[in-house]
Amino acid sequence: MLTGARIWAWFAAVFWAVGFFGIIDLTMLFGVNPAFHAVMGLETSWGVLFTFIVGGAFVAIAARPRQPWPALVLLWLVVAALLLASVLAEDTGPLAPAVLLLPMSLVPLLSRADRPDRVVGRLEPSGLILALALVGAPGWWGYAAVAVEQALTPGVVDDTSWGLSHWPIQAALGLLLVMGVLVMAFWPAGRPLIGTACGSSALVLGVSWLLYPDSAGAAHSAGLSVAAILWGLAVILSPIRHQKEQGPDARRPSPATRPDPPALTEAVHEPVVRDQSPARRHR
């Protein structure tokens, strides 16, 4: 059933993934337009941010409008990363998608037909995912720092979409990948979605750097490209691995706290009535 929240989420997913050139920039990876080969690193960072992360988050809301919290947290992390990149790069460009994205992310909360369920606030740290976050943080901070430096340098090779420079957006992506995996490390409910979005982004970035190592925005290193691919795969798979380590009964209540079935409870508490009829006493 297409409720208001679902319709809005699908519209928002198409708006960001298509209207904001996310998918279009990713298609450049297939070499359809040689004019973009020199800026393929920038094209890919823009594409994964607005397709896998922003568009993917809205698709998740459309699929499960009553459980939008992981997707909303991911979208709010994107807003925070864009605002921080705007300050660091001294560029007002990232403010435009941030100002658009924040109110668009709040619309599903207003739905009456798909009123969101209670926020799953239980925190449970994962040593494996925290280790991935700490291992990846220096690389992605460096990735963001280089993007900020390029954004502050006049005359560098750049590309624009909707009049926005790609370098500050690339800086926001690097910041987001650090923040997203850190959130995953402590919030179990957000791990599947955030892990898939961030891990897929890193994987595609690494492939892009291997295919176009000399392009603007690329890592210019085969080793770093392979490291990004492996890190992305590990982030995608880490929630599954963490759940296996906990065991199949990790999310079930313990026997001490598991409630008795209703029929058994009623049987225990129902008083026993003895047959005291005269016919029964004479037998």
Side-chain angles (χ1 to χ4, degrees):
M1 178 179 178
L2 283 178
T3 58
R6 281 192 165 97
I7 293 172
W8 173 257
W10 281 118
F11 164 77
V14 172
F15 173 84
W16 290 103
V18 179
F20 228 70
F21 298 105
I23 292 177
I24 294 173
D25 280 7
L26 287 179
T27 60
M28 298 299 111
L29 278 172
F30 301 101
V32 295
N33 191 341
F36 287 94
H37 290 182
V39 292
M40 192 55 63
L42 293 171
E43 297 296 310
T44 307
S45 60
W46 180 287
V48 298
L49 178 63
F50 293 114
T51 302
F52 295 157
I53 297 175
V54 177
F58 279 111
V59 169
I61 294 174
R64 300 186 65 188
R66 294 184 63 87
Q67 292 290 341
W69 302 110
L72 292 179
V73 168
L74 182 57
L75 292 173
W76 296 336
L77 287 175
V78 173
V79 172
L82 288 168
L83 294 177
L84 184 55
S86 178
V87 173
L88 294 175
E90 300 177 6
D91 190 321
T92 58
L95 294 178
V99 169
L100 277 173
L101 184 56
L102 182 58
M104 289 180 74
S105 70
L106 299 176
V107 171
L109 298 179
L110 305 178
S111 173
R112 293 185 178 181
D114 288 314
R115 187 177 298 277
D117 294 335
R118 183 176 60 87
V119 180
V120 180
R122 180 175 59 89
L123 299 181
E124 182 183 328
S126 165
L128 171 64
I129 302 176
L130 181 59
L132 284 173
L134 296 178
V135 167
W140 295 118
W141 276 114
Y143 177 75
V146 170
V148 168
E149 180 183 3
Q150 294 297 302
L152 294 172
T153 304
V156 296
V157 177
D158 196 0
D159 191 24
T160 58
S161 297
W162 290 111
L164 306 178
S165 168
H166 280 218
W167 282 113
I169 302 299
Q170 180 158 303
L173 175 62
L175 296 171
L176 173 73
L177 292 177
V178 175
M179 295 188 293
V181 182
L182 279 174
V183 170
M184 279 179 63
F186 295 95
W187 189 36
R191 285 171 190 161
L193 175 63
I194 298 176
T196 301
C198 292
S200 300
S201 297
L203 192 156
V204 173
L205 284 174
V207 171
S208 171
W209 300 344
L210 284 176
L211 294 175
Y212 304 93
D214 298 323
S215 64
H220 309 303
S221 167
L224 290 176
S225 303
V226 172
I229 293 172
L230 295 177
W231 185 86
L233 286 172
V235 169
I236 293 171
L237 298 175
S238 60
I240 301 173
R241 177 65 179 173
H242 181 78
Q243 187 173 353
K244 286 183 177 179
E245 289 177 352
Q246 290 181 318
D249 297 327
R251 294 188 179 181
R252 298 179 183 175
S254 63
T257 59
R258 185 182 293 129
D260 293 325
L264 180 59
T265 304
E266 292 173 3
V268 170
H269 294 287
E270 183 179 356
V272 177
V273 179
R274 298 181 181 275
D275 188 355
Q276 300 295 332
S277 64
R280 180 68 178 172
R281 289 197 301 269
H282 285 87
R283 289 186 181 180

